[in-house]
Amino acid sequence: MAKTLKILTVFGTRPEAIKMFPLIHLLQEDQRFDSRVCVSGQHRGMLDQVLEIAGIEPHHDLDLMQPGQTLDALTARLLEGIGNVLDEERPDWVVVQGDTATAMCGGLAAYYRKIPVAHVEAGLRSGDIHHPWPEEVNRKIIGTFAALNFAPTETSAKSLTTENVDPAKVHVTGNTVIDALHWITEKVAAEPALATALSEVEKRFAGKRIIGVTSHRRENFGDGMDAIADAIGRLADRDDVAIIFPVHLNPNVRSVMNERLAGRDNIALLEPLDYPNFARLLDISSIMLTDSGGVQEEAPALGKPVLVMRETTERPEGVEAGTAKLVGTDADRIVEEASLLLDDQEAYSAMARSHNPFGDGKAAQRIVDLLAG
């Protein structure tokens, strides 16, 4: 009888949890594996919301975040904390996702112990180590030692082999975020009460076209956030438009948006939404303005054009497919491109109908089968 493989999944942020829970569900159900879960708590409240809705109880919760913590202090605490868990669990595989400090340190701690690492959402590259920062370097570090690289697309797989990663270690699986979106959409359809946080805002903005906004990237702090706030304010001057903006908890985002946008009739600044309600926001929005990575994958699955408020993207497939457009953080450009989609039905339809290149909702099963060998 084949040995049961102990798999330790390590993650800490809300996006990681969303992209990992479909995989964890399958690992828990599969008798080939002993599934263990370690969370760092890198996003405390937002992480816990996803764990609750997905029904995942971590075996280890490091709860490492501290107010005003520097990246080097966080990195040191993550390496030591995850290292202690690895020494206790002694897993056969460590699975990390994406490009966070938790993913990088989880992979590095495993590498230090010669435990093989599997990287979910491997191979994303912007080509600029400062955009996104520090994520671009985090994922490149993981790519140097991962024993299995689960690339979401052929483009990301090619990025890895271009960096001399052994092609035998690279597998195109699709992105688990599409699995997660399918799961939550079905769950909300069965239990509508899970996604009622936007009900009052939807009534308030009835008859208007909704622009959903997310923004939190470190490289946009300062002038970039000011420009994004300016653009949102100008778009909200239109009578036919309303803005719904769940504002990230980081004070570099909150202080700017609250000062510049609070109290506007056509703008709803909300607390961060849990996953079911965020899926609802994607569903009711005509356009998404974002500097997030995940939204570039999720919104096209629901036929929603994405304007990416960044100078580069590690998801060029969306731009190439026509589901997303890079607009940077110049306020005039953001307003111009959003207005085009609002005013030109052909331009809108061209983006809304483009094929989503990020997966078919079966990525997690492919990953499970590859881990089983």
Side-chain angles (χ1 to χ4, degrees), residues 131-133 135 212-221 224-225 228 245-246 248 253 257 288-296 306-315 325-329 334:
H131 294 275
W133 174 85
E135 289 86 356
V213 182
T214 70
S215 184
H216 71 277
R217 284 290 179 189
R218 291 175 184 268
E219 64 266 28
N220 284 344
F221 291 172
M225 283 295 159
I228 289 169
F245 188 171
H248 197 276
V253 182
M257 300 307 167
M288 288 299 300
L289 291 180
T290 188
D291 60 13
S292 164
V295 175
Q296 297 175 53
V306 183
L307 297 181
V308 184
M309 300 182 295
R310 289 164 56 179
E311 302 303 325
T312 60
T313 180
E314 63 278 43
R315 294 167 174 83
K325 183 179 289 188
L326 280 173
V327 298
T329 57
I334 295 169

Tab-separated table of all heavy atoms in Angstrom, residues 131-133 135 212-221 224-225 228 245-246 248 253 257 288-296 306-315 325-329 334:
chain	number	residue	atom	x	y	z
A	131	HIS	N	7.936	46.317	-8.983
A	131	HIS	CA	6.509	46.380	-9.311
A	131	HIS	C	6.025	44.979	-9.655
A	131	HIS	O	6.362	44.485	-10.728
A	131	HIS	CB	6.272	47.313	-10.504
A	131	HIS	CG	6.571	48.735	-10.242
A	131	HIS	ND1	5.680	49.599	-9.670
A	131	HIS	CD2	7.698	49.472	-10.457
A	131	HIS	CE1	6.224	50.795	-9.557
A	131	HIS	NE2	7.448	50.734	-10.022
A	132	PRO	N	5.248	44.304	-8.836
A	132	PRO	CA	4.870	44.726	-7.494
A	132	PRO	C	6.009	44.445	-6.506
A	132	PRO	O	6.781	43.501	-6.693
A	132	PRO	CB	3.659	43.857	-7.176
A	132	PRO	CG	3.903	42.603	-7.947
A	132	PRO	CD	4.602	43.030	-9.215
A	133	TRP	N	6.055	45.256	-5.493
A	133	TRP	CA	7.121	45.176	-4.504
A	133	TRP	C	6.528	44.857	-3.134
A	133	TRP	O	5.553	45.481	-2.745
A	133	TRP	CB	7.859	46.526	-4.424
A	133	TRP	CG	8.878	46.612	-3.356
A	133	TRP	CD1	10.170	46.210	-3.414
A	133	TRP	CD2	8.697	47.124	-2.026
A	133	TRP	NE1	10.812	46.441	-2.214
A	133	TRP	CE2	9.921	47.003	-1.346
A	133	TRP	CE3	7.613	47.670	-1.334
A	133	TRP	CZ2	10.092	47.398	-0.017
A	133	TRP	CZ3	7.768	48.064	-0.023
A	133	TRP	CH2	9.000	47.937	0.631
A	135	GLU	N	6.620	41.575	-3.892
A	135	GLU	CA	6.106	40.296	-4.369
A	135	GLU	C	6.918	39.703	-5.513
A	135	GLU	O	7.082	38.477	-5.592
A	135	GLU	CB	4.637	40.442	-4.791
A	135	GLU	CG	3.666	40.634	-3.635
A	135	GLU	CD	3.523	42.090	-3.211
A	135	GLU	OE1	4.231	42.961	-3.752
A	135	GLU	OE2	2.687	42.349	-2.319
A	212	GLY	N	-16.605	48.964	-9.293
A	212	GLY	CA	-16.000	48.411	-8.090
A	212	GLY	C	-14.523	48.774	-8.051
A	212	GLY	O	-13.853	48.790	-9.094
A	213	VAL	N	-14.011	49.074	-6.872
A	213	VAL	CA	-12.621	49.498	-6.726
A	213	VAL	C	-11.943	48.711	-5.616
A	213	VAL	O	-12.530	48.506	-4.542
A	213	VAL	CB	-12.512	51.007	-6.392
A	213	VAL	CG1	-11.045	51.429	-6.293
A	213	VAL	CG2	-13.231	51.847	-7.434
A	214	THR	N	-10.713	48.262	-5.872
A	214	THR	CA	-9.835	47.780	-4.804
A	214	THR	C	-8.451	48.378	-5.036
A	214	THR	O	-8.019	48.528	-6.183
A	214	THR	CB	-9.720	46.237	-4.767
A	214	THR	OG1	-8.981	45.780	-5.908
A	214	THR	CG2	-11.086	45.584	-4.738
A	215	SER	N	-7.793	48.729	-3.956
A	215	SER	CA	-6.452	49.298	-4.077
A	215	SER	C	-5.697	49.108	-2.773
A	215	SER	O	-6.215	49.456	-1.706
A	215	SER	CB	-6.539	50.795	-4.417
A	215	SER	OG	-5.252	51.341	-4.638
A	216	HIS	N	-4.490	48.554	-2.898
A	216	HIS	CA	-3.707	48.325	-1.676
A	216	HIS	C	-2.219	48.160	-1.927
A	216	HIS	O	-1.439	47.986	-0.989
A	216	HIS	CB	-4.205	47.064	-0.966
A	216	HIS	CG	-3.861	45.801	-1.705
A	216	HIS	ND1	-4.613	45.329	-2.747
A	216	HIS	CD2	-2.839	44.925	-1.567
A	216	HIS	CE1	-4.083	44.221	-3.213
A	216	HIS	NE2	-2.991	43.941	-2.520
A	217	ARG	N	-1.755	48.225	-3.179
A	217	ARG	CA	-0.362	47.901	-3.485
A	217	ARG	C	0.607	48.883	-2.835
A	217	ARG	O	0.433	50.099	-2.923
A	217	ARG	CB	-0.134	47.908	-4.995
A	217	ARG	CG	-0.685	46.694	-5.706
A	217	ARG	CD	0.112	45.456	-5.388
A	217	ARG	NE	-0.436	44.292	-6.065
A	217	ARG	CZ	-0.048	43.054	-5.833
A	217	ARG	NH1	0.889	42.813	-4.942
A	217	ARG	NH2	-0.589	42.047	-6.468
A	218	ARG	N	1.668	48.346	-2.253
A	218	ARG	CA	2.671	49.176	-1.597
A	218	ARG	C	3.283	50.193	-2.558
A	218	ARG	O	3.560	51.326	-2.180
A	218	ARG	CB	3.792	48.303	-1.015
A	218	ARG	CG	3.386	47.439	0.153
A	218	ARG	CD	4.542	46.537	0.564
A	218	ARG	NE	4.175	45.620	1.636
A	218	ARG	CZ	4.338	45.867	2.930
A	218	ARG	NH1	4.844	47.009	3.311
A	218	ARG	NH2	3.987	44.979	3.842
A	219	GLU	N	3.525	49.769	-3.799
A	219	GLU	CA	4.198	50.676	-4.722
A	219	GLU	C	3.318	51.856	-5.114
A	219	GLU	O	3.800	52.835	-5.696
A	219	GLU	CB	4.691	49.940	-5.977
A	219	GLU	CG	3.610	49.351	-6.845
A	219	GLU	CD	3.306	47.900	-6.540
A	219	GLU	OE1	3.509	47.478	-5.372
A	219	GLU	OE2	2.875	47.178	-7.452
A	220	ASN	N	2.013	51.790	-4.791
A	220	ASN	CA	1.119	52.906	-5.073
A	220	ASN	C	0.938	53.843	-3.882
A	220	ASN	O	0.251	54.871	-4.009
A	220	ASN	CB	-0.253	52.388	-5.527
A	220	ASN	CG	-0.232	51.895	-6.961
A	220	ASN	OD1	0.687	52.191	-7.716
A	220	ASN	ND2	-1.237	51.124	-7.344
A	221	PHE	N	1.525	53.507	-2.734
A	221	PHE	CA	1.391	54.384	-1.573
A	221	PHE	C	1.986	55.752	-1.908
A	221	PHE	O	3.006	55.870	-2.587
A	221	PHE	CB	2.125	53.804	-0.363
A	221	PHE	CG	1.490	52.554	0.208
A	221	PHE	CD1	2.146	51.840	1.209
A	221	PHE	CD2	0.270	52.085	-0.237
A	221	PHE	CE1	1.584	50.690	1.747
A	221	PHE	CE2	-0.298	50.931	0.287
A	221	PHE	CZ	0.365	50.235	1.283
A	224	GLY	N	0.701	57.694	-5.880
A	224	GLY	CA	-0.203	56.806	-6.604
A	224	GLY	C	-1.588	56.784	-5.989
A	224	GLY	O	-2.603	56.859	-6.703
A	225	MET	N	-1.670	56.673	-4.670
A	225	MET	CA	-2.967	56.668	-3.991
A	225	MET	C	-3.687	58.000	-4.181
A	225	MET	O	-4.915	58.046	-4.362
A	225	MET	CB	-2.793	56.373	-2.498
A	225	MET	CG	-2.540	54.923	-2.175
A	225	MET	SD	-3.947	53.873	-2.576
A	225	MET	CE	-3.109	52.282	-2.682
A	228	ILE	N	-5.149	57.933	-7.658
A	228	ILE	CA	-6.296	57.015	-7.728
A	228	ILE	C	-7.522	57.662	-7.094
A	228	ILE	O	-8.636	57.610	-7.645
A	228	ILE	CB	-5.942	55.681	-7.054
A	228	ILE	CG1	-4.933	54.908	-7.905
A	228	ILE	CG2	-7.204	54.837	-6.819
A	228	ILE	CD1	-4.321	53.701	-7.210
A	245	PHE	N	-16.311	50.917	-2.995
A	245	PHE	CA	-14.878	50.779	-2.716
A	245	PHE	C	-14.694	50.206	-1.309
A	245	PHE	O	-14.759	50.928	-0.328
A	245	PHE	CB	-14.224	52.164	-2.816
A	245	PHE	CG	-12.712	52.178	-2.732
A	245	PHE	CD1	-12.026	53.348	-2.997
A	245	PHE	CD2	-11.966	51.053	-2.389
A	245	PHE	CE1	-10.640	53.406	-2.917
A	245	PHE	CE2	-10.588	51.085	-2.309
A	245	PHE	CZ	-9.922	52.278	-2.572
A	246	PRO	N	-14.488	48.868	-1.191
A	246	PRO	CA	-14.092	48.304	0.110
A	246	PRO	C	-12.647	48.730	0.386
A	246	PRO	O	-11.738	48.298	-0.328
A	246	PRO	CB	-14.206	46.788	-0.091
A	246	PRO	CG	-14.814	46.596	-1.444
A	246	PRO	CD	-14.569	47.833	-2.224
A	248	HIS	N	-9.059	49.022	1.949
A	248	HIS	CA	-8.091	48.180	2.648
A	248	HIS	C	-7.767	48.770	4.016
A	248	HIS	O	-7.808	49.993	4.217
A	248	HIS	CB	-6.813	48.060	1.804
A	248	HIS	CG	-5.922	46.929	2.187
A	248	HIS	ND1	-4.995	47.014	3.197
A	248	HIS	CD2	-5.809	45.668	1.694
A	248	HIS	CE1	-4.348	45.864	3.306
A	248	HIS	NE2	-4.826	45.025	2.404
A	253	VAL	N	-3.650	53.523	2.754
A	253	VAL	CA	-4.796	53.580	1.852
A	253	VAL	C	-5.934	54.347	2.506
A	253	VAL	O	-6.504	55.275	1.936
A	253	VAL	CB	-5.266	52.157	1.478
A	253	VAL	CG1	-6.440	52.219	0.504
A	253	VAL	CG2	-4.121	51.340	0.890
A	257	MET	N	-8.056	57.810	1.163
A	257	MET	CA	-9.403	57.654	0.625
A	257	MET	C	-10.451	58.309	1.515
A	257	MET	O	-11.390	58.947	1.017
A	257	MET	CB	-9.719	56.171	0.419
A	257	MET	CG	-8.765	55.482	-0.565
A	257	MET	SD	-8.666	56.355	-2.168
A	257	MET	CE	-7.227	55.563	-2.899
A	288	MET	N	-14.301	46.859	-13.018
A	288	MET	CA	-13.468	46.821	-11.824
A	288	MET	C	-12.213	47.656	-12.052
A	288	MET	O	-11.498	47.470	-13.047
A	288	MET	CB	-13.082	45.386	-11.467
A	288	MET	CG	-14.209	44.537	-10.919
A	288	MET	SD	-14.963	45.147	-9.367
A	288	MET	CE	-13.555	45.138	-8.247
A	289	LEU	N	-11.954	48.594	-11.137
A	289	LEU	CA	-10.687	49.317	-11.078
A	289	LEU	C	-9.883	48.701	-9.951
A	289	LEU	O	-10.366	48.639	-8.816
A	289	LEU	CB	-10.909	50.800	-10.770
A	289	LEU	CG	-11.572	51.692	-11.810
A	289	LEU	CD1	-11.688	53.111	-11.264
A	289	LEU	CD2	-10.777	51.701	-13.088
A	290	THR	N	-8.658	48.271	-10.224
A	290	THR	CA	-7.923	47.547	-9.193
A	290	THR	C	-6.429	47.642	-9.394
A	290	THR	O	-5.955	47.847	-10.525
A	290	THR	CB	-8.344	46.063	-9.193
A	290	THR	OG1	-7.768	45.396	-8.060
A	290	THR	CG2	-7.892	45.352	-10.463
A	291	ASP	N	-5.680	47.512	-8.303
A	291	ASP	CA	-4.248	47.241	-8.411
A	291	ASP	C	-3.942	45.855	-7.854
A	291	ASP	O	-2.800	45.490	-7.651
A	291	ASP	CB	-3.402	48.325	-7.736
A	291	ASP	CG	-3.670	48.479	-6.248
A	291	ASP	OD1	-4.328	47.605	-5.651
A	291	ASP	OD2	-3.207	49.486	-5.671
A	292	SER	N	-4.994	45.081	-7.607
A	292	SER	CA	-4.858	43.727	-7.082
A	292	SER	C	-4.522	42.740	-8.182
A	292	SER	O	-4.845	42.954	-9.350
A	292	SER	CB	-6.162	43.299	-6.401
A	292	SER	OG	-6.214	41.910	-6.193
A	293	GLY	N	-3.883	41.637	-7.796
A	293	GLY	CA	-3.623	40.572	-8.748
A	293	GLY	C	-4.837	39.691	-8.966
A	293	GLY	O	-5.247	39.433	-10.099
A	294	GLY	N	-5.443	39.234	-7.871
A	294	GLY	CA	-6.532	38.280	-7.973
A	294	GLY	C	-7.727	38.782	-8.759
A	294	GLY	O	-8.360	38.018	-9.502
A	295	VAL	N	-8.050	40.069	-8.619
A	295	VAL	CA	-9.203	40.618	-9.324
A	295	VAL	C	-9.013	40.523	-10.837
A	295	VAL	O	-9.977	40.357	-11.593
A	295	VAL	CB	-9.461	42.074	-8.894
A	295	VAL	CG1	-10.584	42.700	-9.717
A	295	VAL	CG2	-9.818	42.135	-7.408
A	296	GLN	N	-7.763	40.599	-11.294
A	296	GLN	CA	-7.491	40.471	-12.727
A	296	GLN	C	-7.883	39.093	-13.242
A	296	GLN	O	-8.142	38.911	-14.434
A	296	GLN	CB	-6.008	40.717	-13.006
A	296	GLN	CG	-5.536	42.119	-12.668
A	296	GLN	CD	-4.039	42.267	-12.854
A	296	GLN	OE1	-3.496	41.961	-13.916
A	296	GLN	NE2	-3.346	42.725	-11.818
A	306	VAL	N	-11.537	44.769	-16.562
A	306	VAL	CA	-10.664	45.173	-15.467
A	306	VAL	C	-9.685	46.234	-15.961
A	306	VAL	O	-8.971	46.020	-16.944
A	306	VAL	CB	-9.864	43.976	-14.910
A	306	VAL	CG1	-9.010	44.417	-13.720
A	306	VAL	CG2	-10.793	42.845	-14.502
A	307	LEU	N	-9.656	47.373	-15.270
A	307	LEU	CA	-8.638	48.384	-15.508
A	307	LEU	C	-7.637	48.294	-14.371
A	307	LEU	O	-7.997	48.471	-13.200
A	307	LEU	CB	-9.267	49.781	-15.579
A	307	LEU	CG	-10.264	49.994	-16.722
A	307	LEU	CD1	-10.811	51.423	-16.695
A	307	LEU	CD2	-9.635	49.683	-18.081
A	308	VAL	N	-6.394	47.983	-14.726
A	308	VAL	CA	-5.363	47.677	-13.737
A	308	VAL	C	-4.540	48.938	-13.462
A	308	VAL	O	-3.833	49.434	-14.340
A	308	VAL	CB	-4.440	46.541	-14.242
A	308	VAL	CG1	-3.435	46.168	-13.158
A	308	VAL	CG2	-5.274	45.322	-14.639
A	309	MET	N	-4.648	49.425	-12.243
A	309	MET	CA	-3.987	50.677	-11.858
A	309	MET	C	-2.566	50.399	-11.380
A	309	MET	O	-2.191	50.623	-10.236
A	309	MET	CB	-4.814	51.394	-10.794
A	309	MET	CG	-6.210	51.747	-11.279
A	309	MET	SD	-7.227	52.642	-10.079
A	309	MET	CE	-7.416	51.391	-8.784
A	310	ARG	N	-1.769	49.886	-12.306
A	310	ARG	CA	-0.363	49.573	-12.073
A	310	ARG	C	0.395	49.808	-13.366
A	310	ARG	O	-0.204	49.844	-14.441
A	310	ARG	CB	-0.208	48.108	-11.628
A	310	ARG	CG	-0.726	47.828	-10.235
A	310	ARG	CD	-0.927	46.365	-9.958
A	310	ARG	NE	0.263	45.555	-10.175
A	310	ARG	CZ	0.304	44.240	-9.965
A	310	ARG	NH1	-0.769	43.608	-9.534
A	310	ARG	NH2	1.402	43.567	-10.179
A	311	GLU	N	1.697	49.948	-13.239
A	311	GLU	CA	2.530	50.165	-14.426
A	311	GLU	C	2.869	48.864	-15.135
A	311	GLU	O	3.138	48.845	-16.344
A	311	GLU	CB	3.831	50.893	-14.034
A	311	GLU	CG	3.611	52.235	-13.343
A	311	GLU	CD	2.789	53.202	-14.183
A	311	GLU	OE1	2.923	53.179	-15.419
A	311	GLU	OE2	2.007	53.966	-13.586
A	312	THR	N	2.898	47.761	-14.375
A	312	THR	CA	3.203	46.447	-14.941
A	312	THR	C	2.236	45.436	-14.341
A	312	THR	O	1.610	45.684	-13.306
A	312	THR	CB	4.640	46.005	-14.602
A	312	THR	OG1	4.781	45.932	-13.168
A	312	THR	CG2	5.665	46.973	-15.165
A	313	THR	N	2.118	44.292	-14.980
A	313	THR	CA	1.342	43.206	-14.401
A	313	THR	C	2.061	41.894	-14.636
A	313	THR	O	2.678	41.692	-15.696
A	313	THR	CB	-0.085	43.127	-14.976
A	313	THR	OG1	-0.786	42.029	-14.352
A	313	THR	CG2	-0.082	42.921	-16.485
A	314	GLU	N	1.995	41.022	-13.639
A	314	GLU	CA	2.538	39.688	-13.759
A	314	GLU	C	1.501	38.738	-14.355
A	314	GLU	O	1.718	37.531	-14.432
A	314	GLU	CB	3.010	39.179	-12.396
A	314	GLU	CG	1.933	39.033	-11.349
A	314	GLU	CD	1.580	40.340	-10.653
A	314	GLU	OE1	1.460	41.384	-11.310
A	314	GLU	OE2	1.398	40.329	-9.426
A	315	ARG	N	0.378	39.295	-14.773
A	315	ARG	CA	-0.678	38.517	-15.417
A	315	ARG	C	-0.932	39.078	-16.825
A	315	ARG	O	-2.035	39.568	-17.120
A	315	ARG	CB	-1.949	38.561	-14.559
A	315	ARG	CG	-1.770	37.854	-13.211
A	315	ARG	CD	-2.909	38.179	-12.259
A	315	ARG	NE	-2.822	37.403	-11.038
A	315	ARG	CZ	-2.068	37.727	-9.990
A	315	ARG	NH1	-1.309	38.821	-10.027
A	315	ARG	NH2	-2.046	36.958	-8.908
A	325	LYS	N	-6.806	45.814	-18.914
A	325	LYS	CA	-6.010	46.852	-19.562
A	325	LYS	C	-5.193	47.563	-18.484
A	325	LYS	O	-5.723	47.940	-17.438
A	325	LYS	CB	-6.905	47.850	-20.288
A	325	LYS	CG	-6.146	48.920	-21.062
A	325	LYS	CD	-7.093	49.878	-21.776
A	325	LYS	CE	-7.789	49.221	-22.939
A	325	LYS	NZ	-8.571	50.215	-23.744
A	326	LEU	N	-3.902	47.710	-18.749
A	326	LEU	CA	-3.035	48.451	-17.843
A	326	LEU	C	-3.254	49.944	-18.046
A	326	LEU	O	-3.107	50.455	-19.152
A	326	LEU	CB	-1.562	48.118	-18.117
A	326	LEU	CG	-0.993	46.830	-17.540
A	326	LEU	CD1	0.414	46.604	-18.081
A	326	LEU	CD2	-0.964	46.875	-16.014
A	327	VAL	N	-3.579	50.650	-16.949
A	327	VAL	CA	-3.822	52.090	-17.054
A	327	VAL	C	-2.921	52.900	-16.131
A	327	VAL	O	-2.960	54.131	-16.161
A	327	VAL	CB	-5.300	52.428	-16.769
A	327	VAL	CG1	-6.197	51.761	-17.795
A	327	VAL	CG2	-5.708	52.035	-15.352
A	328	GLY	N	-2.097	52.237	-15.306
A	328	GLY	CA	-1.204	52.963	-14.417
A	328	GLY	C	-1.958	53.738	-13.354
A	328	GLY	O	-3.123	53.466	-13.058
A	329	THR	N	-1.305	54.742	-12.783
A	329	THR	CA	-1.929	55.544	-11.726
A	329	THR	C	-2.057	57.013	-12.120
A	329	THR	O	-2.205	57.876	-11.248
A	329	THR	CB	-1.133	55.425	-10.413
A	329	THR	OG1	0.228	55.819	-10.646
A	329	THR	CG2	-1.173	54.011	-9.866
A	334	ILE	N	-6.808	56.969	-16.079
A	334	ILE	CA	-7.835	56.131	-15.444
A	334	ILE	C	-9.225	56.622	-15.829
A	334	ILE	O	-10.098	55.837	-16.231
A	334	ILE	CB	-7.671	56.146	-13.911
A	334	ILE	CG1	-6.345	55.485	-13.504
A	334	ILE	CG2	-8.847	55.435	-13.236
A	334	ILE	CD1	-5.983	55.686	-12.039
